[in-house]
Amino acid sequence: MEAPILNPQPIIIARPDHNISRANISPNALKVLYRLREAGYRACLVGGGVRDLLLGREPKDFDIATDARPEQIYRLFRNCRLIGRRFRLAHVQFDQEIIEVATFRGHGDDSEEGDGSTVERAADGRILSDNVYGGIEDDAWRRDFTINALYYDITNFAVLDYVGGIDDLKAGLIRLIGDPVERYHEDPVRLLRAVRFAAKLGLRIDPATEAPLHRLGQLLEKIPPARLFDEILKLFLGGSAIQTFELLRHYRLFGRLFPATERCLSHQQQHYPKTLLMRTLTGTDARLAEGKPVNPAFLLAALLWEPVREQTERLQASGLDEVDALQTAADLVIQAQIRHTSLPRRYSLPMREIWEMQQRLTITTGKRPLRLLTHPRFRAGYDFLLLRGDADQPAAKLAEWWTRFIAMDEKDRLQAVLPSPKSKKGKSRRRRKPRSAGPSDSPNPPPPES
Ligand code: ATP
Ligand code: MG
């Protein structure tokens, strides 16, 4: 990037003129800031912490920027780890909280700066590593959006603004620092970050920052799948999953993350796939708003369900039995997905189980329903079935059956699934073998009224 014209004189908003109070800053972050200051370093809170506090919101985490080098930070804290190659920084670990401490970055065009290293770039302008250090005024310009480049200085509790972030915050604008196209090329994940902050904070994206969003999505192909997976979790677990999803689709970025799902969404006329997904996203937001935990595997199961369902149908039509069809479909969908975003096994295994559960839940006679109740993934599978039921009549009927079944006491449950002892041996007693376990098929046999 061409060195921007630096404004070494920031706008300074003195303590009485802003609303950031130390009472709202994590005590651990304050400890780190004070310790750095006592050791003679410059130390500021920066990024989302400052932005969210100025907006009157509770920050998700607290990031710190300092002129201490990573090794110097390391020596200062016992509970410290240095991480990252591309972007080296320090993690100071407290019980439940990690405080991220980054050394001020320079713009990297002048190898005299910092420790003589340069910003390493790919031919397409992507930054491969950024470990050139500089002063705070350089650091501000290396950040992504103006509202993310505000510093809360621990020496005098003032807010420092080198890039016009305060005005943008007041105007509710998300604006990339510098030339937007260049900054997206440097790091395409900024495309997703723009959407994430717009959705989560309810801010508008400035037109010059917004325009490239529609056409630069293909840059995301260069991003390692593992980094995109981390970003997906942030996108959908930030409390505004619905708005995020709508915006991602609007800018044609959703298909860069979940191509198979996007294909289903765009070719299907009926609202069904969208409804299941929307209900899952709404549920996720609601749970987070209530402070309840959410299961990323459930979210992923919903995001990839439609491709799995369609693929299962195709395989069944070509002669596979329903169980094999679902297994194979799950394999195919997962294999295709991990070329775009990784799916760590700790999420993909329970995700598969939720899908498999959709078949097992179709069996409503014999001992199996009783056994299924004790399955560790039963609840997730049943909740998933409930959501499917919103737009899928057979699934709704099946979900009703399970809802009644769960509410019964043990005796009634036995009666509901096992043949009544009075009935005579013979044809009528024979339990019907469940015919349709396909995820999209109707429950079978018809749910008993009890
Ligand atoms: P939140 O933590 O609420 O998701 P945040 O803005 O703090 O939002 P982080 O990912 O924690 O986001 O990053 C902290 C800060 O580091 C950002 O505010 C920004 O200044 C800078 N930053 C993070 N990622 C990038 C990036 N890809 N390019 C440039 N600067 C970045
Ligand atoms: Mg942060």
Side-chain angles (χ1 to χ4, degrees):
M1 183 175 75
E2 210 175 288
I5 304 149
L6 299 182
N7 174 11
Q9 295 308 323
I11 297 168
I12 300 171
I13 300 118
R15 172 65 195 98
D17 302 326
H18 65 71
N19 65 334
I20 297 183
S21 149
R22 269 165 290 163
N24 297 326
I25 301 174
S26 125
N28 293 327
L30 287 173
K31 261 187 233 167
V32 174
L33 288 165
Y34 288 138
R35 174 86 59 92
L36 284 162
R37 188 187 61 179
E38 279 156 24
Y41 298 111
R42 184 103 200 254
C44 298
L45 204 62
V46 67
V50 181
R51 179 196 67 216
D52 292 351
L53 288 175
L54 287 170
L55 286 170
R57 301 172 63 105
E58 193 186 330
K60 181 171 69 70
D61 50 38
F62 290 91
D63 303 299
I64 288 172
T66 176
D67 58 0
R69 297 296 168 89
E71 309 71 42
Q72 294 171 320
I73 305 167
Y74 182 76
R75 280 200 292 275
L76 221 47
F77 298 95
R78 211 166 24 86
N79 43 342
C80 178
R81 276 190 325 130
L82 297 185
I83 63 149
R85 230 163 33 91
R86 203 178 65 88
F87 195 92
R88 196 165 166 74
L89 44 81
H91 272 180
V92 185
Q93 174 88 48
F94 296 88
D95 280 347
Q96 296 295 320
E97 193 181 11
I98 291 174
I99 304 293
E100 208 166 89
V101 188
T103 306
F104 294 141
R105 257 50 183 187
H107 49 76
D109 291 334
D110 179 357
S111 54
E112 292 300 299
E113 250 181 281
D115 56 6
S117 53
T118 53
V119 174
E120 194 191 330
R121 282 171 194 272
D124 58 9
R126 227 167 359 117
I127 291 186
L128 299 175
S129 76
D130 185 354
N131 290 313
V132 180
Y133 305 121
I136 184 170
E137 63 285 350
D138 308 310
D139 186 80
W141 290 93
R142 297 288 325 132
R143 294 186 175 268
D144 48 5
F145 305 101
T146 59
I147 59 168
N148 284 351
L150 297 165
Y151 298 80
Y152 171 81
D153 193 336
I154 200 65
T155 50
N156 55 8
F157 313 120
V159 171
L160 312 178
D161 179 7
Y162 293 88
V163 295
I166 287 285
D167 281 349
D168 284 342
L169 209 54
K170 283 188 188 144
L173 277 182
I174 298 192
R175 186 201 308 272
L176 269 173
I177 299 167
D179 175 59
V181 172
E182 212 172 299
R183 299 302 311 278
Y184 286 132
H185 274 92
E186 264 184 8
D187 182 4
V189 168
R190 290 172 186 153
L191 298 161
L192 301 174
R193 289 175 60 87
V195 168
R196 176 154 71 87
F197 295 126
K200 182 171 141 178
L201 306 171
L203 306 184
R204 266 182 320 123
I205 306 178
D206 182 71
T209 297
E210 182 187 29
L213 286 178
H214 296 279
R215 55 187 166 87
L216 292 185
Q218 84 282 355
L219 295 179
L220 289 172
E221 282 164 22
K222 302 267 175 63
I223 304 299
R227 186 160 176 227
L228 282 190
F229 179 76
D230 290 346
E231 210 50 42
I232 284 175
L233 292 189
K234 290 187 199 163
L235 283 163
F236 291 109
L237 298 178
S240 311
I242 286 283
Q243 292 90 325
T244 304
F245 172 71
E246 296 288 8
L247 280 185
L248 285 174
R249 288 208 76 213
H250 173 75
Y251 294 119
R252 282 180 284 163
L253 292 169
F254 182 75
R256 302 286 171 184
L257 301 173
F258 293 98
T261 311
E262 178 59 42
R263 277 194 295 278
C264 294
L265 289 170
S266 42
H267 79 70
Q268 294 206 1
Q269 293 307 309
Q270 70 268 42
H271 299 300
Y272 165 50
K274 202 163 170 195
T275 309
L276 168 76
L277 198 45
M278 296 303 261
R279 289 272 285 136
T280 306
L281 299 178
T282 313
T284 301
D285 288 344
R287 287 186 66 89
L288 289 170
E290 291 167 38
K292 291 186 188 162
V294 298
N295 176 0
F298 192 92
L299 192 69
L300 293 166
L303 279 161
L304 292 171
W305 170 249
E306 207 44 35
V308 168
R309 196 190 64 80
E310 283 190 5
Q311 187 66 261
T312 306
E313 267 182 5
R314 277 195 291 274
L315 291 166
Q316 270 186 279
S318 73
L320 282 192
D321 74 42
E322 57 208 2
V323 173
D324 286 347
L326 177 64
Q327 293 295 341
T328 312
D331 287 341
L332 291 173
V333 169
I334 291 172
Q335 271 162 29
Q337 180 63 29
I338 58 177
R339 284 191 275 124
H340 304 275
T341 73
S342 61
L343 290 173
R345 286 172 73 80
R346 67 180 179 284
Y347 300 124
S348 67
L349 290 181
M351 172 182 82
R352 280 188 86 119
E353 283 183 303
I354 290 169
W355 292 338
E356 283 157 19
M357 196 61 81
Q358 302 313 298
Q359 285 185 334
R360 300 170 75 173
L361 284 162
T362 60
I363 299 168
T364 53
T365 52
K367 291 219 170 105
R368 282 205 260 174
L370 293 166
R371 276 206 302 271
L372 204 57
L373 287 177
T374 62
H375 191 287
R377 212 63 64 196
F378 170 77
R379 187 72 215 187
Y382 163 73
D383 284 345
F384 199 80
L385 179 66
L386 282 177
L387 292 181
R388 285 177 53 211
D390 266 1
D392 175 338
Q393 260 302 312
K397 276 194 143 180
L398 189 58
E400 271 169 40
W401 185 88
W402 278 98
T403 306
R404 278 200 305 275
F405 188 61
I406 293 167
M408 290 174 194
D409 62 24
E410 232 164 284
K411 197 171 105 276
D412 288 345
R413 280 186 193 153
L414 272 172
Q415 256 180 10
V417 292
L418 296 177
S420 118
K422 281 181 223 140
S423 63
K424 297 244 152 46
K425 265 194 175 180
K427 254 194 175 166
S428 64
R429 250 203 82 176
R430 245 182 60 209
R431 265 172 267 151
R432 247 201 279 171
K433 187 171 172 283
R435 178 195 40 152
S436 75
S440 63
D441 288 342
S442 55
N444 185 43
E449 299 296 340
S450 64

